[in-house]
């Protein structure tokens, strides 16, 4: 399996979720299954079916997180020396050349992406267009509404 790029914060978030699933969710599901079993006939027991479905989800997510963490390539943006180029983990200030709106994004792994908090996936069209650019460069992004142009105002490694 290929390496999964994560920032330090992203790896911490996945580890926290894994810990919560193992220490809180898994025992709660086991308890729910035991409770549903005590109600008798399992063939017509909706609580039992729901608890088993929840168990399957929790166990699947645990396996997914363990796999991602074992294949993680944790990258600390604060120690990068990319000579001003945009790379994974960089925080980028951009100006939309059409609307002149300024935005800032950090380029992160797929599991960390959250556009509301200014974090875009390394696999998103905007991140792919920005990789390798420097302050002052213009990036053309293929968006659903057509091509958008962004000027790179600043690149930080924080």
């Amino acid at each position: 399996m290929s390496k999964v790029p994560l920032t330090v914060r992203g790896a911490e978030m996945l580890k926290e979720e894994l810990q919560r699933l193992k220490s809180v969710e898994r025992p709660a599901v086991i308890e729910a299954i035991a409770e549903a079993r005590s109600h008798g006939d399992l063939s017509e027991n909706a609580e039992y079916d729901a608890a088993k479905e929840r168990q399957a989800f929790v166990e699947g997510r645990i396996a997914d997180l363990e796999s991602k963490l074992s294949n993680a390539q944790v990258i600390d943006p604060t120690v990068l020396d990319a000579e001003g180029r945009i790379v994974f983990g960089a925080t980028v200030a951009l100006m939309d050349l059409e609307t002149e709106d300024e935005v800032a994004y950090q380029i992160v792994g797929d599991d960390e992406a959250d556009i509301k908090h200014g974090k875009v996936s390394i696999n998103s069209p905007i991140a792919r267009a920005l990789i390798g650019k420097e302050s002052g460069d213009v990036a053309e992004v293929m968006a659903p509404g057509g091509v958008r142009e962004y000027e790179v105002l600043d690149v930080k490694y924080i």
Side-chain angles (χ1 to χ4, degrees):
M1 184 171 204
S2 62
K3 290 288 184 187
V4 177
L6 291 171
T7 63
V8 174
R9 179 68 190 126
E12 288 172 6
M13 287 173 30
L14 292 183
K15 287 175 186 172
E16 289 168 7
E17 181 181 357
L18 181 61
Q19 180 62 33
R20 182 184 54 77
L21 287 170
K22 285 182 169 182
S23 63
V24 177
E25 296 292 328
R26 183 185 269 168
V29 168
I30 291 169
E31 189 175 309
I33 290 172
E35 174 70 25
R37 275 192 178 143
S38 71
H39 293 267
D41 186 11
L42 298 181
S43 65
E44 296 180 12
N45 190 332
E47 290 175 5
Y48 179 76
D49 291 340
K52 289 299 279 184
E53 283 183 29
R54 179 74 183 145
Q55 181 184 35
F57 173 79
V58 169
E59 294 302 327
R61 184 64 181 156
I62 287 172
D64 184 44
L65 290 173
E66 287 175 339
S67 173
K68 286 177 180 173
L69 287 169
S70 69
N71 292 306
Q73 178 181 3
V74 180
I75 299 169
D76 185 354
T78 61
V79 298
L80 292 177
D81 182 18
E83 300 171 357
R85 288 188 317 275
I86 300 172
V87 294
F88 180 87
T91 300
V92 187
L94 304 170
M95 180 173 64
D96 185 325
L97 295 179
E98 185 178 318
T99 64
E100 296 190 3
D101 291 337
E102 290 187 21
V103 293
Y105 297 120
Q106 181 181 20
I107 299 173
V108 297
D110 290 334
D111 290 302
E112 303 170 74
D114 184 355
I115 196 70
K116 292 178 184 173
H117 292 101
K119 296 178 184 293
V120 295
S121 167
I122 185 72
N123 295 314
S124 67
I126 191 163
R128 289 194 311 253
L130 291 171
I131 295 293
K133 301 279 193 265
E134 299 175 345
S135 186
D137 288 351
V138 174
E140 291 185 354
V141 179
M142 288 298 296
V147 176
R148 308 272 318 241
E149 290 186 328
Y150 293 93
E151 180 181 350
V152 179
L153 301 176
D154 192 22
V155 180
K156 295 179 184 169
Y157 310 102
I158 52 175

